[in-house]
């Protein structure tokens, strides 16, 4: 997770309890496809902003890759190390956004899920992307998953990012509601970044072949629900990727 979320046990536990159903069905498969997870050539994956380790755990479950998982939150990493320890995952705490434990050109692929929206300053986002570019090998791909800035305010199956009907400006603080399996709601604050921000920071760092995906829920999955979820017609996520 990103740098702006409160590093508390309550927030970390609440986020870990969140049922990331839309991410599992729509978001993470698109990220894994963009990175080539499962391809034998992708042997080392950087999970920058790993949070409680859910995505890193899915990478090792879907491939033979090793994962370098890094996050700024001590509380998130405690959950990851306790609940999602794995011989092919190495967890690291980072302080200023840098990755001093990784050499240049040392990882085959990299991802950041829910990181940019938790960073308040675009300059800090640029620094993160530049550091990811440094550690990626030439030809390696970087994928970013965030909530879609063009569907802000829509109530999806398990979350709502932003207030309905409100237009947010570049970097503005935004309310997030994560609906918990037990019926509770975890309220957080993130930041609104237009899609152009993602394109600009990747291009400035030197990434090429930049692509944008906005996947929808598979019709077969949507048909299982009594009421078609918003994810069937409105894309909840923005997945931006580029090649070093």
């Amino acid at each position: 997770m990103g740098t702006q979320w409160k590093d508390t046990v309550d927030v970390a536990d609440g986020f870990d309890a969140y049922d990331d159903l839309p991410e599992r069905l729509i978001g993470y498969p698109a990220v894994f496809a963009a990175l080539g997870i499962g391809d034998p050539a992708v042997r080392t994956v950087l999970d920058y902003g790993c949070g409680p380790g859910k995505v890193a755990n899915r990478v090792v479950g879907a491939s033979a890759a090793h994962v370098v998982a890094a996050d700024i939150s001590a509380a998130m990493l405690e959950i990851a190390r306790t609940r999602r320890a794995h011989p092919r995952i190495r967890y690291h705490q980072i302080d200023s956004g840098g990755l001093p434990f990784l050499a240049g050109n040392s990882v085959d692929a990299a991802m950041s899920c829910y990181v940019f929206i938790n960073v308040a300053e675009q300059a800090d986002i640029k620094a993160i992307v530049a550091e990811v570019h440094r550690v990626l090998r030439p030809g390696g791909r970087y994928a970013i998953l965030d909530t879609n800035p063009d569907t802000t305010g829509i109530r999806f199956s398990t979350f709502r990012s932003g207030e309905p009907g409100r237009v947010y400006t570049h970097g503005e603080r935004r309310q997030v509601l994560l609906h918990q399996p037990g019926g509770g709601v975890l309220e957080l604050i993130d930041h609104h970044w237009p899609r152009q921000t993602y394109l600009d920071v990747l291009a400035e760092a030197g990434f090429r072949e930049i692509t944008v995906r906005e996947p929808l829920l598979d019709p077969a999955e949507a048909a299982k629900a009594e009421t078609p979820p918003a994810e069937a017609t409105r894309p909840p996520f923005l997945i931006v990727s580029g090649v070093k």
Side-chain angles (χ1 to χ4, degrees), residues 26-112:
I26 306 170
Y28 300 145
V31 170
F32 286 16
L35 297 181
I37 300 298
D39 185 329
V42 180
R43 297 161 296 180
T44 305
V45 178
L46 169 65
D47 184 1
Y48 189 110
C50 66
K54 289 182 178 182
V55 188
N57 196 58
R58 291 191 177 108
V59 171
V60 296
S63 72
H66 291 255
V67 179
V68 180
D71 202 281
I72 199 168
S73 167
M76 292 284 191
L77 287 170
E78 177 62 24
I79 290 174
R81 290 175 174 132
T82 302
R83 302 176 190 174
R84 297 183 182 92
H86 191 282
R88 285 189 281 118
I89 302 176
R90 290 182 291 133
Y91 292 108
H92 299 266
Q93 185 168 5
I94 51 180
D95 295 321
S96 59
L99 303 167
F101 45 86
L102 284 177
N105 307 319
S106 63
V107 300
D108 299 313
M111 61 183 176
S112 294

Side-chain angles (χ1 to χ4, degrees), residues 187-202:
E187 181 177 348
L188 301 168
I189 299 294
D190 70 10
H191 295 270
H192 182 84
W193 297 109
R195 71 170 56 211
Q196 192 61 43
T197 301
Y198 296 82
L199 302 177
D200 290 346
V201 296
L202 262 67

Side-chain angles (χ1 to χ4, degrees), residues 68-241:
V68 180
D71 202 281
I72 199 168
S73 167
M76 292 284 191
L77 287 170
E78 177 62 24
I79 290 174
R81 290 175 174 132
T82 302
R83 302 176 190 174
R84 297 183 182 92
H86 191 282
R88 285 189 281 118
I89 302 176
R90 290 182 291 133
Y91 292 108
H92 299 266
Q93 185 168 5
I94 51 180
D95 295 321
S96 59
L99 303 167
F101 45 86
L102 284 177
N105 307 319
S106 63
V107 300
D108 299 313
M111 61 183 176
S112 294
C113 300
Y114 291 129
V115 173
F116 287 19
I117 57 172
N118 288 297
V119 178
E121 301 294 335
Q122 187 167 330
D124 293 333
I125 294 175
K126 290 181 179 181
I128 290 169
V129 176
E131 184 69 344
V132 171
H133 189 273
R134 179 186 71 82
V135 302
L136 263 178
R137 64 166 172 80
R141 184 172 284 274
Y142 179 36
I144 299 147
L145 180 149
D146 268 341
T147 48
N148 194 328
D150 297 329
T151 53
T152 292
I154 293 174
R155 170 66 158 90
F156 291 106
S157 298
T158 57
F159 73 89
R160 192 193 78 198
S161 181
E163 298 173 22
R166 181 170 171 180
V167 176
Y168 290 84
T169 59
H170 190 271
E172 186 176 356
R173 287 164 59 88
R174 192 174 59 182
Q175 180 197 54
V176 179
L177 301 178
L178 301 183
H179 296 268
Q180 305 291 64
V185 176
L186 177 65
E187 181 177 348
L188 301 168
I189 299 294
D190 70 10
H191 295 270
H192 182 84
W193 297 109
R195 71 170 56 211
Q196 192 61 43
T197 301
Y198 296 82
L199 302 177
D200 290 346
V201 296
L202 262 67
E204 184 175 328
F207 285 97
R208 55 188 175 82
E209 299 179 29
I210 299 170
T211 62
V212 177
R213 288 198 62 194
E214 298 175 279
L216 294 169
L217 185 64
D218 183 271
E221 288 291 339
K224 296 178 183 179
E226 292 184 10
T227 303
E231 292 92 334
T233 57
R234 305 294 298 276
F237 307 115
L238 186 73
I239 295 107
V240 184
S241 62

